[in-house]
Amino acid sequence: MIIKRLSLEKYILIGIILTYFLLLFMPAYYRLYHMNQLFGDDVGQYILTAKCYFKNCENYYVYTHPGVPLIYVPFIWWSSSDPINLIKIGNLMSIFWVTFILIFVIKLAYNITRNLLISVLGALFLGFYPLWLDVIGWGGQATMLAILFGVIAWIYLYSFDAKSNNFIKLIKVSIFLLLSLISEPYIFIYFAFSSILFIIVYGLYSKEKFLRLILKILIIYSLPFPMIIYFYSTAYQHAINVVTPPVYRFIGVDVFQMLANRLTFDRPCILYFFVFILILFILNLNKGRMKFLSFLIAQFLAAVVQCLLITPIQYLDRCLHPFLLSITFTNIFILDSYLNKHKKSIIIIPILIISIFILIFLPIESLSIYSNALSFYSIDTELLESV
């Protein structure tokens, strides 16, 4: 019976993931191949950069971060297709990246909660969030890939036993942080800083020795740090510029309002939902779940630091996705708290509100925004023809 039940859960999970993929894939495919309308300007830039790598040439529009363009080099090598077809294939790849991220967020959530229902429900909040689907419209695959590698790094980091002397998992964390770095440095900063904060916060709670904490941090940075030095010492130095104007230029009512409007897509109901989640989070604080709380604290503080201290003002959109990840795992924390820790029937009300929001309101609203995003963003085909 247990094997059958697990098999059924597995089939349901596969069905949910396929449904999610098709809901995003079909509108994009129809627009690209039936309406012959292109979108995703960044995808064209990745392909242009891949062509420059392949031909060893220079171009003003070359993308500064090498991670995603390197993926397109084999397409340039194997394919004799015109750039338009490559752009269409590239835009469909965005949907695969987003789906992979959903899968690994489910994996991380399941490792934390050991509850598949909570993991899937929490991950769907990220998967159907308007800001997240909007990335497909402009083809932000560097952001997608950096988040994908960062989440995988989190999986290994969270599963690492604080008292273990086997540091293989931390080496894997370092590898995936390196891949996140070469994909999109501003997203990498968030994952790298949140990883360090998690080690410090949970290490102090677990009363780990100071030298052991330092050793963990050195292992995590063992691969990304040399790459950062390489970026600064070569032509890629502009690709990881973390020197920004003074902090006071970012802190102000107008900036916070702009970020809040962008994060909520001017939907007051989403803002009310965030307030509701914050209240539930405070009500469910529990020292017995300090590892998960340390993880959430690290996520939030890293998002704040990245947004207000690191990210240049022209790239402030990059700092909203970390906040979105932080809210996603806060949802998972709340769902896990109620479903596994409480017995009173009255607590079913918060669960119903969160579930209805994620399963009904969010998909309807987000898929509409997603469809509009495919129409709103366009691509300059002259970029590719210039090489």
Side-chain angles (χ1 to χ4, degrees):
M1 289 298 293
I2 295 177
I3 296 177
K4 290 182 180 179
R5 182 175 62 84
L6 291 176
S7 297
L8 179 60
E9 288 181 353
K10 187 181 297 184
Y11 286 126
I12 293 174
L13 177 60
I14 293 173
I16 291 172
I17 293 171
L18 285 177
T19 301
Y20 174 80
F21 174 80
L22 291 175
L23 284 173
L24 303 183
F25 183 86
M26 296 307 295
Y29 183 87
Y30 181 79
R31 188 170 296 275
L32 289 169
Y33 288 95
H34 290 274
M35 299 177 67
N36 203 30
Q37 295 180 1
L38 301 177
F39 57 88
D41 190 61
D42 277 22
V43 174
Q45 195 175 8
Y46 301 142
I47 296 171
L48 167 65
T49 306
K51 291 179 70 174
C52 286
Y53 289 169
F54 185 70
K55 296 181 179 180
N56 194 26
C57 64
E58 295 183 0
N59 190 285
Y60 176 79
Y61 295 102
V62 164
Y63 195 70
T64 53
H65 317 310
V68 178
L70 287 173
I71 295 175
Y72 283 97
V73 171
F75 287 91
I76 302 296
W77 183 37
W78 292 329
S79 176
S80 59
S81 302
D82 62 272
I84 303 303
N85 284 332
L86 288 176
I87 292 170
K88 291 179 178 179
I89 295 172
N91 274 293
L92 295 178
M93 284 178 60
S94 295
I95 300 168
F96 282 95
W97 297 133
V98 167
T99 306
F100 282 135
I101 291 171
L102 180 75
I103 293 171
F104 282 106
V105 169
I106 292 173
K107 169 64 176 173
L108 176 56
Y110 184 78
N111 287 354
I112 295 172
T113 65
R114 294 298 169 183
N115 187 305
L116 189 58
L117 175 61
I118 293 172
S119 304
V120 172
L121 190 59
L124 288 177
F125 171 83
L126 173 67
F128 281 122
Y129 198 80
L131 182 69
W132 185 237
L133 296 185
D134 187 65
V135 179
I136 300 175
W138 52 269
Q141 293 182 1
T143 298
M144 298 176 196
L145 209 61
I147 290 176
L148 174 63
F149 291 134
V151 171
I152 296 174
W154 274 352
I155 291 174
Y156 286 112
L157 180 65
Y158 197 90
S159 63
F160 179 76
D161 187 351
K163 298 181 180 180
S164 173
N165 291 320
N166 185 353
F167 295 106
I168 298 299
K169 287 184 178 179
L170 293 185
I171 295 174
K172 293 179 180 179
V173 172
S174 183
I175 292 172
F176 283 105
L177 286 179
L178 172 64
L179 294 174
S180 181
L181 169 63
I182 65 175
S183 300
E184 168 45 83
Y186 298 116
I187 297 295
F188 154 78
I189 291 169
Y190 165 70
F191 283 104
F193 191 52
S194 64
S195 298
I196 292 174
L197 285 176
F198 174 66
I199 287 176
I200 293 174
V201 173
Y202 189 61
L204 292 175
Y205 174 78
S206 303
K207 299 180 180 180
E208 283 194 71
K209 294 181 180 180
F210 177 76
L211 290 179
R212 182 180 172 85
L213 293 178
I214 296 299
L215 178 60
K216 288 182 178 181
I217 294 173
L218 289 176
I219 293 174
I220 286 177
Y221 264 103
S222 61
L223 295 178
F225 188 71
M227 182 60 69
I228 293 173
I229 296 175
Y230 171 75
F231 276 152
Y232 270 117
S233 61
T234 65
Y236 285 111
Q237 57 182 313
H238 59 289
I240 187 166
N241 177 24
V242 297
V243 179
T244 61
V247 178
Y248 66 81
R249 292 187 57 182
F250 297 109
I251 298 180
V253 176
D254 55 338
V255 173
F256 281 117
Q257 185 175 358
M258 181 269 290
L259 291 174
N261 291 341
R262 177 62 175 162
L263 183 62
T264 61
F265 267 69
D266 294 316
R267 269 55 173 187
C269 54
I270 296 180
L271 181 60
Y272 300 150
F273 179 77
F274 288 167
V275 174
F276 178 69
I277 290 299
L278 177 60
I279 294 172
L280 291 182
F281 173 71
I282 294 173
L283 292 175
N284 284 279
L285 290 177
N286 187 340
K287 290 185 178 180
R289 311 182 65 209
M290 195 59 197
K291 186 173 184 179
F292 199 174
L293 281 174
S294 300
F295 187 56
L296 294 178
I297 292 169
Q299 284 184 345
F300 179 75
L301 291 179
V304 171
V305 170
Q306 185 221 17
C307 191
L308 299 181
L309 300 180
I310 305 297
T311 308
I313 197 165
Q314 66 268 31
Y315 296 127
L316 278 184
D317 261 9
R318 301 292 194 277
C319 75
L320 292 177
H321 295 99
F323 279 113
L324 184 56
L325 283 168
S326 179
I327 296 168
T328 297
F329 283 95
T330 301
N331 281 331
I332 292 170
F333 175 85
I334 293 168
L335 290 170
D336 186 49
S337 297
Y338 276 116
L339 291 177
N340 290 336
K341 303 297 180 182
H342 299 279
K343 302 297 181 183
K344 297 180 181 179
S345 59
I346 191 65
I347 57 89
I348 198 66
I349 295 176
I351 303 298
L352 287 176
I353 293 175
I354 295 174
S355 301
I356 291 172
F357 182 86
I358 294 175
L359 298 178
I360 299 178
F361 171 81
L362 204 58
I364 294 174
E365 194 73 11
S366 300
L367 290 175
S368 174
I369 293 173
Y370 171 63
S371 179
N372 292 334
L374 299 184
S375 301
F376 178 79
Y377 296 102
S378 61
I379 185 168
D380 184 3
T381 55
E382 294 181 0
L383 286 180
L384 298 179
E385 295 170 355
S386 63
V387 181

